[in-house]
Amino acid sequence: MERKVSVDDPSVSATVDDKVDELLQTISTTADSKSQISLYFTETKPRKAWFSKSEEEICWEEWLIDIQSKIGKTEREFNQLQASAEDQAKQAIFHVIQAMDRNKDHIPLIANSQTNPFPYHISVTPASGLWSSMIKRAIRPSIS
């Protein structure tokens, strides 16, 4: 029997909806544009110092999704681009699902009974910020 994990949490749905809206605001309606969505899954671990205890978030999975939008000059071109974009989105989602099903060994054990046991962070970077974002990631994935 295969188990599928899902989160039925309205706050997760609201966060995803907010980030989709944020992505749509970064996409130009008059010219081709690029954006990127970053999705980080983390776990919280205790960090021991000499005289104190604190917690730190450790990233255990990261997904970077590049978005490139094209503007159709005619209705026919627009329809073709839309169909192509939908197909590419389906392929990308299918790829993510397959990769997640194949590679489960790195997922930490669930250590609490919260509805969503793994903190996550979603960020949207418009094209103008992609270079600075790549430099930051090269140094260390930023989780905000």
Side-chain angles (χ1 to χ4, degrees):
M1 180 164 107
E2 188 175 335
R3 289 190 218 179
K4 298 285 181 182
V5 177
S6 66
V7 177
D8 233 1
D9 184 346
S11 68
V12 172
S13 294
T15 300
V16 170
D17 288 344
D18 289 345
K19 293 302 178 176
V20 168
D21 289 342
E22 185 178 332
L23 171 67
L24 292 174
Q25 291 173 8
T26 68
I27 295 174
S28 172
T29 58
T30 58
D32 297 350
S33 61
K34 294 181 181 181
S35 299
Q36 186 176 69
I37 299 173
S38 305
L39 173 61
Y40 300 96
F41 291 98
T42 63
E43 68 175 318
T44 304
K45 286 193 168 186
R47 180 185 343 177
K48 294 180 183 175
W50 282 61
F51 298 106
S52 65
K53 288 184 178 180
S54 62
E55 292 184 334
E56 65 180 327
E57 278 192 349
I58 299 171
C59 180
W60 55 268
E61 186 159 310
E62 171 185 30
W63 288 91
L64 302 173
I65 303 164
D66 293 320
I67 308 291
Q68 183 175 4
S69 66
K70 300 241 181 224
I71 303 301
K73 293 175 179 47
T74 66
E75 186 174 342
R76 181 177 181 202
E77 187 178 349
F78 173 81
N79 290 337
Q80 288 173 337
L81 288 170
Q82 185 174 9
S84 175
E86 288 174 7
D87 185 49
Q88 289 175 20
K90 287 176 187 175
Q91 288 177 13
I93 291 169
F94 188 65
H95 170 76
V96 169
I97 291 169
Q98 285 183 322
M100 292 176 73
D101 279 344
R102 278 192 312 269
N103 306 309
K104 297 177 185 176
D105 296 342
H106 67 287
I107 300 174
L109 296 174
I110 296 175
N112 59 48
S113 60
Q114 296 175 352
T115 304
N116 185 10
F118 301 118
Y120 63 93
H121 306 277
I122 304 171
S123 62
V124 175
T125 308
S128 61
L130 287 177
W131 277 107
S132 64
S133 173
M134 287 188 341
I135 292 168
K136 287 178 189 175
R137 269 197 325 277
I139 296 170
R140 175 81 178 126
S142 65
I143 299 176
S144 55

